[in-house]
Amino acid sequence: MTVSIKPIDPVSRPFFAGEVSGVDVTKPLSREDVAAIDAGMDQYGVLVFHDQHFTDETQLAFSRNFGELEEASGDLNWGKARRIESAHVNDISNLDNDNQVLARDSRRRLFSLGNRLWHSDSSFKAVPAKYSLLSARVIPSAGGNTEFADMRKAWDDLDAETKKECEGLVCEHSQLYSRSLIGFSDFTDEDRIRFKPVHQRLVRTHPSTGRKSLFLASHAGAIVGWPVPEARAFLRDLTEHATQRKYVYAHQWKQWDAVMWDNRATMHRARPFDPKEVRDMHRTTVASERSTMAEAA
Ligand code: OGA
Ligand code: MN
């Protein structure tokens, strides 16, 4: 078997979102296969794999081909009893620790609704995420898509004046900001310390492709040296530009799909579904090697 990668929509998005075939990524991979997938990530930013019957163990093993994994410490229930055993697997489900669907007003569910806002994973950590891999274990009968936006193309298409304004800017990212946007403020003092804002460059250069991209996320709530309202209005305009439909791939899940995306080059968001139905997704996350502040400007 050899890895084959094709654009999902060759006409309108030839360089964004690829579909991988010819490989069972639940099994150990050759060096060549890993290199082909890495090259596909550089080219497409998002890769879709079908029929991958992952367990947490095989998902962890596949993810480790691409670097060190981060812990699921951005979860609201980090440090408490969790449904998922591994500290390196994020619970992206609407289930409680007894596998029951969370009540509509449950604190965990309301916090997780923050995923409905455009974001890049762990931009609220000093060292943000590189790749995220989301495995669909149980999906609802309708809705619950995940959308991805190409932040490289969004950068390329900005006018020269706006690019100049963006270069060199540093944003403050925190889950306290993103949750405040949807009116969630039920944080403990401990959460507020854990989610203290971190600095990230607004424009980053991809370490392997050399392409620039806009590093935006709903977690970004301030720009260093700017008045807050001006910063938020500016970031909102950039986000509106960067998430136009022409930059977006909407993934409609099938059970056992796995989607891997490069958080350095994309944003993503969850779409709604019937809260009475089960949606159980498990996410592993490869950490970046350094903070964006330590990356070349
Ligand atoms: C994530 C995420 C979106 C979704 O897992 O990081 O944002 O559709 N998920 O569940
Ligand atoms: Mn996410």
Side-chain angles (χ1 to χ4, degrees), residues 283-295:
R283 195 189 89 207
T284 41
T285 317
V286 180
S288 287
E289 272 142 40
R290 53 188 67 82
S291 85
T292 60
M293 301 309 294
E295 283 175 350

Side-chain angles (χ1 to χ4, degrees), residues 90-93 112 114-117 119-122 132-135 144-148 251 253 261 263 268-273 279 281-285:
N90 277 82
D91 189 354
I92 311 294
S93 77
S112 77
N115 275 347
R116 294 254 293 268
L117 306 175
H119 65 282
S120 178
D121 287 335
S122 299
S132 294
L133 175 72
L134 194 57
S135 158
N145 288 358
T146 306
E147 295 185 345
F148 298 90
H251 185 69
W253 292 94
W261 62 89
N263 288 290
H268 61 281
R269 66 171 179 176
R271 304 311 296 140
F273 60 95
R279 184 173 187 266
M281 323 283 276
H282 291 211
R283 195 189 89 207
T284 41
T285 317

Side-chain angles (χ1 to χ4, degrees), residues 58-74:
T58 57
Q59 184 174 348
L60 286 161
F62 172 63
S63 304
R64 287 198 170 103
N65 286 308
F66 305 99
E68 295 275 320
L69 302 190
E70 48 161 77
E71 292 188 321
S73 56

Side-chain angles (χ1 to χ4, degrees), residues 4 49 55-56 90 94 111 116 125 140 205 230 271 280:
S4 159
F49 305 78
T55 60
D56 286 351
N90 277 82
N94 60 344
F111 177 81
R116 294 254 293 268
K125 293 184 183 176
T205 303
E230 191 176 357
R271 304 311 296 140
D280 185 8

